[in-house]
Amino acid sequence: MRDDGQMPRVDLFDLDHAPITVQDYFTVGDPGPIVAALAAVPELMAPTLGFIGAALGPGSIGVRYKEFAILRTSVLQGCSYCIHAHTTVSLDAGLSNLEIRALRGEVALEVGFPLDDERALIGWIDALAGATGPIPDDVWHAAQRYWPQHSLVELTVTVGATMFLNRFATGFQLPTAPHVTERLVAAGMA
Amino acid sequence: MSDTIVSTGTIAAAVQSGELPARVWMYSNYHCNLACSYCLTESSPRSERRQLTAEQMIAVAEQARELGFTALGITGGEPFLLPWLPETVLAMAEHLPLVLLTNGTLFAGDRIERAAALAHPDVALQISLDSHLPDVNDMARGPDNFAKVVEAVPRLLARGVRVRIATTTGGPLDSPALSPLQHLVASLGVAEADHLIRPIVRRGRADEFGLGVQAVARDIPCELTITGDGAFWGSFGPTVRSGRLDTDLLLTRTILPLAVPANALLGVLRGMPEGTDARLGIR
Ligand code: SF4
């Protein structure tokens, strides 16, 4: 994956310029480019981060499947910022290099995920994030066969929140943090 | 702190208890016919206008009253550069009393009649005058400023317009050196209570020139301030430096409904330690 050395398209606020309503996010160090860009519209910070935190956090389904949704959606949306960031989060969540490569489309899904239930879940994610228009019944039935409805509702919120982040980061050309790049290189996942 | 949810009744209660300052300020525009050396907004004839519309200003006035604020202020830039200003001010005064800041230099000859239209019990014009010495005043504020102001004030008063004089000084606020100016202001017909003396705030162009007192965010008086770029902590918040708007005192980009920035301001105030009110005498 490349970063293209692009400059961010919007101001990334720092502590000196952060609006008074969101300065708390900046006092504990660099909050990262998503927060730094969101500071331009401070009233959106708390609700957006609250939503993102809830949608991308472990939830009831657990981090492994949340990362399926986040990383796979980011790959389908072509968001290098989120692919980089969530490759490292997926490693932390215990996904293997092979599984991550399968989610990133670098090896066949069947190779990374031999179990039907996990492939059915990825099929649902792919249908949400990799296409437009109605989702075929067979994809839904396959997912529903293995997963309770509330898990699919939860993961669908994760996919939607990830798509928002993907377009936010890609549209504004947010830069991958140096520590993320170092981590990817060290893991052989750059 | 920014996610504190407060009802509109809470704003009124906070204003009544003094927790929330009662006045809402508006920056009608940022451009100006002058280019004073200490200008907080780097205003000049060429600066970006950053205008509010007349409709926005009237809506702010109406919603400010509904929320429980009790006074309005309009500043700029030079508000009288806006062709629609007088009728808009009168429409706003239907809701709340207001003070309108002006440099007082656009009232020569017949042009005084635009300002004379503002002879209204709930409208006061606040005009800047910094020294009793024309040269000293005009050094910071530009050629002929002194003469224009000294000519305009009695003419405005004669037409029934309420006038206040504001003096911005780099020295002590109680300096005896200010007394000739106080005499001059009195001789123009302005009551002593209507002569405000305040320090230069080191933001905007005053910062570039190294003038003024260093005002850190929480020393700056808190008064909800609405601009075309968003709502700010105080009227000294939306300053401009090197062409760039200062954002450290930005509350919200949303200005209407006014409850959005009003609630945000109250949220910040409630997250702040006690005793952080203005100690610099900035008004
Ligand atoms: S200080 Fe007032 S009169 Fe002077 S340039 Fe700024 S806006 Fe204009």
Side-chain angles (χ1 to χ4, degrees), chain B residues 24-144:
Chain B
V24 176
W25 282 95
M26 277 157 266
Y27 274 72
S28 55
N29 58 303
Y30 272 67
H31 60 306
C32 186
N33 55 315
L34 303 184
C36 306
S37 59
Y38 56 67
C39 183
L40 295 173
T41 47
E42 292 187 348
S43 292
S44 76
R46 292 164 310 286
S47 56
E48 224 181 299
R49 297 189 170 200
R50 303 178 186 277
Q51 254 172 251
L52 287 168
T53 65
E55 292 74 23
Q56 285 172 319
M57 291 177 67
I58 294 166
V60 168
E62 182 177 7
Q63 293 181 25
R65 176 180 49 79
E66 288 167 358
L67 285 170
F69 291 98
T70 58
L72 302 171
I74 302 173
T75 186
E78 173 47 50
F80 276 93
L81 288 178
L82 301 172
W84 42 261
L85 185 85
E87 60 267 28
T88 303
V89 167
L90 291 174
M92 293 166 74
E94 293 299 307
H95 298 289
L96 287 173
L98 65 86
V99 58
L100 169 60
L101 275 54
T102 169
N103 60 37
T105 61
L106 294 172
F107 304 143
D110 290 347
R111 291 196 290 175
I112 194 95
E113 301 310 333
R114 282 187 78 217
L118 296 177
H120 183 290
D122 284 335
V123 177
L125 261 55
Q126 182 173 311
I127 302 179
S128 300
L129 190 64
D130 291 345
S131 173
H132 65 292
L133 301 170
D135 291 352
V136 175
N137 179 81
D138 293 355
M139 203 160 50
R141 299 189 61 79
D144 298 332

Side-chain angles (χ1 to χ4, degrees), chain B residues 2 25 27 103 108 140 147 159 180 186 210 225 227 260 266 277 281:
Chain B
S2 54
W25 282 95
Y27 274 72
N103 60 37
R159 285 164 172 76
T225 299
T227 77
V260 172
L266 193 53
D277 51 340

Side-chain angles (χ1 to χ4, degrees), chain A residues 11-13 15-25 39-43 45-47, chain B residues 1-3 217-218 233 244 246-255 260 264-265 268 272:
Chain A
D11 290 336
L12 299 182
F13 286 67
L15 180 59
D16 284 344
H17 299 95
I20 191 166
T21 31
V22 296
Q23 276 164 8
D24 285 356
Y25 294 91
V41 191
E43 63 269 45
M45 186 79 86
Chain B
M1 64 183 176
S2 54
D3 55 355
R218 305 204 163 186
W233 163 263
R244 192 186 151 132
D246 288 320
T247 47
D248 53 336
L249 293 171
L250 176 67
L251 294 169
T252 61
R253 295 289 184 182
T254 303
I255 56 175
V260 172
L265 177 55
V268 176
M272 282 170 69

